[in-house]
Amino acid sequence: MAIKRIFLTLAGLYLVVPPAIAASANSAVDYHNRADAGAYLGNQFAASLLFTQTLHQRITAPGDSQFWMRGSAYHTKNLSVSEGDLPIDMDRQVFILGADLLSLQGGTQEWTMGLMSGYGHAKSSAKNALTTSDGEVNGYSVGAYSTWYENIQDHSGAYVDSWLQYAWFNNSVTHSPAKQDYDSTNFSISLEAGYAFLPFSNRELVIEPQIQVIYNTFDSDDYWDANGVKVHQGEIPDFTSRVGIRWYSDQDDNTTAYLSTNWWHRNGSNSVYFNNTRVETNALDDLFEAKVGIQSPSSYSMQLWFEGGATMGSNRYQDYGASLGLSYRW
């Protein structure tokens, strides 16, 4: 029988190990509790979320020919690995800007189309009983958007918004003493619709129910880590849906506040393979989000807005974030 020789410098000893024992070394590893499994999953989770957006994170006031930008920061707690005790914490930041390039108007209706681009960064950390592993993502995106409004004057009534984006990422996972670098890409497309109305004729409260569906397709390099284990990025939730309501005040000449509540649904879990072992996050099928914000008068050419909020889910998942946006109409 062939013999695989393994040299160990330990008190001057030379060991000869049968191949069956050597081959079983990797198979005995509990990948669900391996710290770098959490870092790989954190990177994948960040890549699928960094450039996700809703219409009102891009446009907050009526009017075409807009230039806009938004900066956001988020902190995620307790994204966890299924079948293991491995919580993942993450910080991510994103900056996106864009501008309307084309606007068509007919009667009371308006249709605009524009381009956008962004930069995103995320750092995650996963810790088991023995070690800690860190993940990092730097990503860039380019995309286009299109929006139709039933009422050009105040954006009351119906709207339909769509966008598509292509993003590419430089990723790294540090698991002492090695560091693994790899690339990934994500293509996403979104369709959103809503209807704004005043439920009380003698009040300025506007209620806007919304629905949104996002499709993602993710791809990443396959590679071998320092221990000779093949790491293959698995599936991510390809469809994400949102149902929400936005409450705000119909006062063009005043600084106003708003409240947004959303229910997000993801059809699956993020996953990664170590050789043939699949490791995935706990399912985040249903998430509840609440955000409050304030925006400057929409009658001004330049408008500022700020919002903060939190998202909660099963398995003690928590995500907190804040955004600052600016738009200018010419």
Side-chain angles (χ1 to χ4, degrees):
M1 181 174 69
I3 292 185
K4 180 178 181 180
R5 298 186 175 183
I6 298 179
F7 295 87
L8 295 178
T9 306
L10 179 62
L13 296 179
Y14 167 84
L15 301 180
V16 179
V17 181
I21 296 177
S24 66
N26 282 335
S27 62
V29 176
D30 180 8
Y31 293 108
H32 295 89
N33 283 298
R34 212 171 98 163
D36 58 337
Y40 284 116
L41 288 169
N43 285 356
Q44 188 189 87
F45 185 79
S48 64
L49 283 184
L50 272 175
F51 301 110
T52 296
Q53 62 182 281
T54 66
L55 168 66
H56 290 295
Q57 289 180 305
R58 196 175 69 238
I59 298 175
T60 58
D64 59 349
S65 301
Q66 293 196 43
F67 168 81
W68 55 270
M69 63 178 68
R70 170 177 63 90
S72 302
Y74 305 90
H75 177 67
T76 300
K77 295 178 60 178
N78 300 324
L79 175 67
S80 54
V81 174
S82 177
E83 302 181 32
D85 184 19
L86 190 64
I88 306 164
D89 292 344
M90 180 192 309
D91 292 300
R92 61 189 193 277
Q93 304 83 36
V94 63
F95 177 77
I96 304 180
L97 56 81
D100 297 345
L101 296 183
L102 179 63
S103 176
L104 300 176
Q105 300 174 6
T108 63
Q109 301 180 37
E110 175 190 53
W111 175 80
T112 59
M113 187 278 290
L115 298 177
M116 57 186 175
S117 182
Y119 167 75
H121 175 259
K123 293 192 72 173
S124 59
S125 177
K127 183 178 182 180
N128 60 21
L130 299 176
T131 61
T132 299
S133 184
D134 298 316
E136 185 170 5
V137 175
N138 287 285
Y140 307 86
S141 72
V142 291
Y145 60 87
S146 172
T147 310
W148 169 83
Y149 281 105
E150 181 182 14
N151 191 328
I152 189 176
Q153 295 299 321
D154 57 6
H155 286 183
S156 62
Y159 76 84
V160 177
D161 180 69
S162 61
W163 52 260
L164 58 84
Q165 289 187 105
Y166 176 78
W168 61 100
F169 305 92
N170 306 122
N171 313 272
S172 67
V173 168
T174 302
H175 187 62
S176 182
K179 180 180 180 181
Q180 178 69 53
D181 296 311
Y182 61 98
D183 298 326
S184 60
T185 61
N186 188 64
F187 175 77
S188 53
I189 185 169
S190 168
L191 181 64
E192 176 183 345
Y195 189 90
F197 65 97
L198 282 79
F200 310 105
S201 58
N202 59 341
R203 297 184 181 274
E204 296 176 328
L205 174 66
V206 180
I207 296 179
E208 186 179 77
Q210 306 165 350
I211 186 171
Q212 183 178 13
V213 177
I214 304 170
Y215 173 76
N216 281 292
T217 177
F218 178 83
D219 188 38
S220 177
D221 293 342
D222 293 344
Y223 44 87
W224 283 260
D225 69 9
N227 298 315
V229 176
K230 182 180 180 181
V231 181
H232 168 63
Q233 298 286 326
E235 305 83 8
I236 70 167
D238 49 3
F239 280 100
T240 301
S241 56
R242 177 181 68 90
V243 176
I245 300 178
R246 189 171 190 262
W247 290 267
Y248 62 97
S249 177
D250 184 25
Q251 298 182 38
D252 293 344
D253 297 324
N254 295 298
T255 298
T256 58
Y258 60 87
L259 168 68
S260 295
T261 56
N262 295 293
W263 170 72
W264 292 86
H265 177 73
R266 293 160 52 90
N267 70 328
S269 302
N270 292 77
S271 64
V272 63
Y273 287 86
F274 292 86
N275 289 331
N276 295 319
T277 302
R278 186 175 190 267
V279 182
E280 64 181 19
T281 59
N282 278 312
L284 296 174
D285 294 339
D286 299 294
L287 301 172
F288 177 76
E289 177 187 45
K291 299 188 294 184
V292 294
I294 188 170
Q295 61 187 40
S296 61
S298 60
S299 58
Y300 295 178
S301 296
M302 180 175 291
Q303 186 180 36
L304 289 169
W305 60 270
F306 173 81
E307 70 178 23
T311 304
M312 303 292 177
S314 57
N315 302 301
R316 299 182 296 115
Y317 173 83
Q318 303 169 46
D319 187 77
Y320 304 93
S323 298
L324 177 66
L326 177 149
S327 64
Y328 176 77
R329 297 187 301 275
W330 63 88

